[in-house]
Amino acid sequence: MEKIAVYPGTFDPLTNGHVSLVKRGLKIFDTIILAIAYNSPKKTLFSLEERVNLAKEVFKNEPKVKVEPFEGLLMDYVNKKKAVAILRGLRAVSDFEYEFQMALMNRKLSPEVQTVFLMTDYKWLYISSTIVKDVASLGGSVEGLVPNSIERALKSKYAKA
């Protein structure tokens, strides 16, 4: 049986921390679905279509990674995809409380689906999509923090603003 994990998020934008987590997750799972959320309380810089296309570009040479948009209840999507797990990353203790609550609710909704937490690599500990956008919006360099295609997209987006 294929072990599929869903890695959900807004990925606005995708960072090298996200990419690292996917690559490490592939050592555990056969397939990872990067599930890009349509409905989010966050105001996104990139549209859903842009986020999906950017992620597909980043993972174009990785056949075990699928990139898809999703809408609605995560557990409905996870069950539809026949995934055995939800993959989540943790950077700091501050992430844990929220993620723990979500994992418990997801477990209540679908007890057969596990939530797997991976700690970030130490070199990505300080970055988040929000920080990357803040730096890029002010003309700062995000080189090395995001894939090259994402860096170009951020420059282009903020040049138009």
Side-chain angles (χ1 to χ4, degrees):
M1 180 174 149
E2 184 182 25
K3 290 183 190 150
I4 300 169
V6 171
Y7 181 18
T10 52
F11 304 106
D12 184 50
L14 190 72
T15 69
N16 284 341
H18 296 127
V19 173
S20 171
L21 197 77
V22 168
K23 288 181 179 178
R24 291 170 50 224
L26 287 173
K27 294 178 182 178
I28 302 168
F29 300 102
D30 301 316
T31 299
I32 294 179
I33 301 172
L34 195 74
I36 301 181
Y38 170 77
N39 45 344
S40 168
K42 302 176 186 176
K43 183 182 181 319
T44 59
L45 174 65
F46 294 101
S47 70
L48 177 63
E49 181 180 4
E50 288 171 321
R51 289 180 281 137
V52 168
N53 289 337
L54 286 166
K56 283 183 176 181
E57 173 66 23
V58 168
F59 291 109
K60 69 182 178 193
N61 295 322
E62 182 46 75
K64 297 191 313 181
V65 176
K66 296 180 172 133
V67 178
E68 297 180 359
F70 91 94
E71 185 174 9
L73 191 62
L74 174 61
M75 295 315 292
D76 290 342
Y77 178 81
V78 168
N79 289 324
K80 185 174 112 184
K81 295 298 175 178
K82 297 182 175 31
V84 298
I86 298 168
L87 180 62
R88 299 297 294 161
L90 294 174
R91 286 179 305 223
V93 173
S94 57
D95 290 342
F96 180 77
E97 187 172 346
Y98 171 77
E99 293 293 346
F100 184 66
Q101 289 174 335
M102 291 302 297
L104 289 175
M105 178 53 77
N106 289 337
R107 184 113 175 114
K108 172 147 181 32
L109 295 171
S110 290
E112 68 284 354
V113 177
Q114 305 303 313
T115 299
V116 175
F117 296 104
L118 293 179
M119 296 303 299
T120 189
D121 285 332
Y122 70 92
K123 63 184 172 182
W124 310 122
L125 186 63
Y126 64 96
I127 68 165
S128 68
S129 294
T130 301
I131 290 172
V132 165
K133 286 186 289 191
D134 288 347
V135 169
S137 73
L138 297 170
S141 173
V142 294
E143 183 179 357
L145 303 178
V146 295
N148 293 337
S149 57
I150 304 290
E151 182 183 9
R152 287 190 298 275
L154 282 164
K155 284 180 181 176
S156 174
K157 186 67 84 167
Y158 284 120
K160 295 175 186 173

